[in-house]
Amino acid sequence: MLCLALFLLPLLRSARADVTIYTTFPNFASSAPAPSPTGPYSGLPAFDPTTIPPPAPPNPPQPTDVPITLFQGGMQGLSIPQMGNLLGFSIELSVSNTIIGKNSKLLNVPFLNYLNNIRLRAGAGPIVRVGGNSQETETLFVDGLPDGSELDKINQGIGANGVINTPIINFSPELLYSLANISALVEAQWYFGLSFNDTSADGNALVVAQYAQDILGNNLIALQLGNEPDLYSNNGKRDPNYGIPDYMTDFAKVEGDLMAASGVQRKETLIGPSICCEWQIDDVLSAGYLTQFSQGLRQVSVQHYPANNCKLLGVIQPSDIFPSYLNHTAAQTFVQPYLDAVPVVLGAGKPFVMLETNTASCGGFLGVSDSFGATLWTLDLAFQLAWANFSTVLLHTSGTSVYYNPITPPPGNETRTKQWNTGSTYYAMLAVAEMFGSSNISQIIDLGTSETSIYAPSEKWNITWAGQTLSPGGAQSSDGVLHGSQNTVQIACDTANNVCYIPVPAPSFALVFLSQQALTDSTSQSDGIAGSGGGAPGPLSFTPTSTRGGGATGVDPGVLATSNGGVLGGGGLGSTSKEGDARLNVPFPVYLVVSTSVLGIVGMMLLW
């Protein structure tokens, strides 16, 4: 009876207090594993349609009526102010040209749209890192590469352990010019990786640092020096006994050369240590990392995957590990190793960044990393990291041989306009951007810290955000633009008892705005972008103006078209009563975001 009343609530317009909800959920009719009509799938992993059976619902069932009390006035335990572009991309250098575009004149239009979706919601440029394991072996050719290309990759085959060897990368300044042009269109901000395999004064790092600063200017956040140095000994990049003291020596050598280089104008430019696995961040900080490198270090970073699918210790079955992602404890456990380090880093005046993460290392798990369950996990993780005072969280994005990509271009020379793959985790990026909005002062707190379970299908493509989807035709059907009609719901609150009953279908995510100001703070921005004439309305999507050799698409910055990719409908809304408590009867976990309004936004995770 409660659900029926909720569905009828839009008819009860006489109540004074309303809330607006945005939901993300798949079509339940399509949640069953898809049969293979012609036998096992044998194509590229990124486009694998295979699903796995979801875990059983919790037994006993989760409560469906859980009161959450929101207090007026100050709250203890709020995070630092967060921005809407908290959740961004980490792009492996070796595949960056397939995602970004061939060169600065042939940018991939869908990629611009994917970035612009975040910009419109966050009110700030999306954050992207270009680097990864492949940044350690690259060579910069100042004079460029054949055919105006920005990158050339030399594959190194598959190692004895079955893992693909990191390719050798040659790239030209054209890659940096591509990044600069993307910034001019969508205000993107960049982390760029420096090679750490040569620490000599005439090594590659100094040259790349100078070019990156000169070309990207203020759109360059920081330069990553060293990627996962705690794995150097395991990967044969350093002596088998390579440890934190050795790393500190190497880092000091390159940082000192950067300080002395006249061509590197901005000295506080590095981000590190970017450890992932064998060393603890507390131990690196205890070795004097913050004090010794205070001049050159701009931000502190770590990299972390919750599971290892590199098949070095045996094969993990996706169905066995899937349940471990579907509970609130997963996000809490992920963040735990950094809770002591964060205040130390912030106390030194440095932001703390999760520079690379995703569902599992070495490409993730089939049926898990590419499922709606991963959407929920990503949302919970991003909010938990934000509450722990991380300022940036980047989802790693690689080629077509992985399962976890938020976005994937079509392989080879296929047309690149409407054949991209939108991964399930990209929808989390949209939700996080709208959750924090554009005020840049949003603070978050976890209101649901008790244990819960999440039941989620393995749905891959049929996912919507406020009724819109980026995959109107399923796999490889996206142009980076949201399709369909926006669907939002206004729910009248019970003002007599000061209660708002929020229907949250399981599994789903509900974003609830509790005031007009909170809605305004998360509404799409249209105040113009750099390179668009200054002050002109920002575009809702980019459209290609040419298709050239190799399937790359060009975009004319002066030709920007609108589409149905808008966000956050308008319309006047009431607000919850300013006297007493506001009570939301919803499942756990629940995050509250306090923005410019006293009661701001509530995000409710998707439980069964």
Side-chain angles (χ1 to χ4, degrees):
M1 188 63 183
L2 175 62
C3 290
L4 178 61
L6 287 170
F7 280 114
L8 294 175
L9 277 175
L11 300 177
L12 305 176
R13 295 295 184 181
S14 59
R16 291 186 295 115
D18 294 345
V19 293
T20 301
I21 304 179
Y22 296 83
T23 57
T24 303
F25 49 87
N27 184 326
F28 301 104
S30 303
S31 61
S36 178
T38 58
Y41 177 78
S42 59
L44 296 167
F47 314 117
D48 193 334
T50 306
T51 60
I52 64 175
N59 188 18
Q62 291 291 311
T64 58
D65 188 11
V66 180
I68 304 296
T69 301
L70 307 181
F71 295 95
Q72 295 288 346
M75 295 183 67
Q76 297 295 320
L78 289 170
S79 72
I80 61 173
Q82 298 286 3
M83 298 181 64
N85 60 0
L86 169 88
L87 194 55
F89 295 96
S90 165
I91 298 178
E92 186 67 42
L93 175 64
S94 61
V95 298
S96 58
N97 59 329
T98 66
I99 295 173
I100 292 168
K102 179 181 179 181
N103 55 42
S104 61
K105 298 180 180 63
L106 290 173
L107 302 175
N108 285 334
V109 173
F111 182 59
L112 295 176
N113 285 330
Y114 283 118
L115 296 180
N116 204 38
N117 292 336
I118 298 173
R119 183 191 72 86
L120 290 171
R121 289 158 173 79
I127 296 177
V128 187
R129 171 251 193 157
V130 177
N133 286 329
S134 54
Q135 78 187 45
E136 303 285 21
T137 57
E138 84 274 7
T139 302
L140 178 70
F141 288 106
V142 176
D143 294 331
L145 293 169
D147 300 324
S149 298
E150 60 194 16
L151 183 145
D152 180 43
K153 177 169 60 176
I154 303 174
N155 292 318
Q156 297 296 297
I158 299 176
N161 56 13
V163 177
I164 298 176
N165 291 322
T166 302
I168 296 175
I169 304 298
N170 299 323
F171 71 91
S172 75
E174 188 66 22
L175 175 58
L176 297 170
Y177 284 116
S178 295
L179 306 188
N181 283 353
I182 292 172
S183 293
L185 291 167
V186 296
E187 299 177 322
Q189 304 169 57
W190 306 94
Y191 293 99
F192 198 81
L194 300 178
S195 175
F196 202 47
N197 64 326
D198 183 0
T199 58
S200 63
D202 58 352
N204 192 33
L206 293 180
V207 178
V208 177
Q210 179 176 339
Y211 270 90
Q213 286 193 359
D214 291 346
I215 295 173
L216 296 177
N218 292 333
N219 293 314
L220 176 67
I221 302 174
L223 295 163
Q224 181 194 7
L225 182 58
N227 183 76
E228 299 176 350
D230 49 335
L231 293 182
Y232 281 177
S233 60
N234 294 346
N235 296 335
K237 295 179 180 179
R238 295 291 197 278
D239 183 85
N241 297 319
Y242 190 81
I244 293 176
D246 306 298
Y247 164 74
M248 296 283 286
T249 299
D250 286 348
F251 199 94
K253 181 66 174 67
V254 179
E255 189 218 28
D257 292 337
L258 286 170
M259 292 295 164
S262 59
V264 179
Q265 299 297 319
R266 191 173 68 198
K267 302 304 181 181
E268 190 183 43
T269 190
L270 298 177
I271 183 171
S274 302
I275 59 173
C276 69
C277 311
E278 301 294 333
W279 302 343
Q280 300 299 316
I281 186 61
D282 295 332
D283 294 333
V284 177
L285 299 182
S286 297
Y289 189 72
L290 290 173
T291 53
Q292 183 174 350
F293 306 122
S294 60
Q295 289 185 299
L297 193 65
R298 187 174 188 187
Q299 298 183 349
V300 173
S301 61
V302 290
Q303 303 179 185
H304 186 173
Y305 290 82
N308 184 342
N309 196 31
C310 294
K311 299 178 176 61
L312 301 178
L313 301 176
V315 176
I316 299 176
Q317 295 299 325
S319 57
D320 293 338
I321 201 169
F322 198 8
S324 68
Y325 292 88
L326 303 180
N327 56 74
H328 192 40
T329 301
Q332 294 172 317
T333 302
F334 186 104
V335 172
Q336 185 64 40
Y338 309 108
L339 295 181
D340 292 337
V342 171
V344 176
V345 172
L346 297 186
K350 312 292 184 183
F352 204 40
V353 172
M354 181 59 66
L355 197 64
E356 177 181 327
T357 188
N358 213 306
T359 49
S361 58
C362 290
F365 296 102
L366 171 65
V368 176
S369 302
D370 51 0
S371 73
F372 187 64
T375 311
L376 314 188
W377 173 84
T378 302
L379 280 168
D380 201 7
L381 180 68
F383 294 145
Q384 193 71 194
L385 286 167
W387 185 29
N389 293 330
F390 282 74
S391 59
T392 301
V393 180
L394 303 181
L395 296 180
H396 200 51
T397 310
S398 191
T400 55
S401 61
V402 304
Y403 299 107
Y404 58 36
N405 286 343
I407 59 173
T408 309
N413 295 328
E414 295 182 27
T415 302
R416 297 183 182 274
T417 304
K418 293 185 178 181
Q419 295 185 10
W420 284 54
N421 230 46
T422 301
S424 59
T425 55
Y426 179 78
Y427 291 88
M429 293 183 169
L430 301 182
V432 168
E434 293 192 19
M435 182 83 161
F436 289 115
S438 59
S439 71
N440 300 331
I441 59 172
S442 298
Q443 295 173 272
I444 187 170
I445 188 170
D446 183 353
L447 297 179
T449 56
S450 64
E451 176 56 34
T452 55
S453 297
I454 302 174
Y455 173 86
S458 299
E459 177 61 44
K460 293 174 181 280
W461 322 120
N462 197 9
I463 300 173
T464 63
W465 172 244
Q468 296 182 305
T469 183
L470 286 120
S471 301
Q476 292 185 258
S477 65
S478 181
D479 55 0
V481 176
L482 284 160
H483 294 265
S485 300
Q486 180 182 303
N487 179 25
T488 63
V489 180
Q490 291 189 11
I491 297 177
C493 295
D494 180 351
T495 57
N497 297 303
N498 209 28
V499 174
C500 302
Y501 292 97
I502 311 300
V504 185
S508 65
F509 170 78
L511 177 56
V512 183
F513 295 89
L514 300 178
S515 70
Q516 177 63 53
Q517 186 63 54
L519 176 64
T520 300
D521 289 344
S522 289
T523 299
S524 171
Q525 303 298 297
S526 59
D527 56 353
I529 57 173
S532 65
L540 291 182
S541 69
F542 294 87
T543 55
T545 59
S546 63
T547 301
R548 308 188 186 184
T553 52
V555 60
D556 181 353
V559 181
L560 303 172
T562 60
S563 75
N564 61 353
V567 299
L568 298 180
L573 294 177
S575 62
T576 52
S577 172
K578 293 186 177 180
E579 294 78 29
D581 302 332
R583 195 162 172 266
L584 295 162
N585 284 43
V586 295
F588 284 126
V590 179
Y591 293 92
L592 171 67
V593 169
V594 179
S595 187
T596 55
S597 53
V598 177
L599 280 181
I601 306 165
V602 173
M604 290 164 286
M605 291 302 295
L606 341 208
L607 311 179
W608 184 261

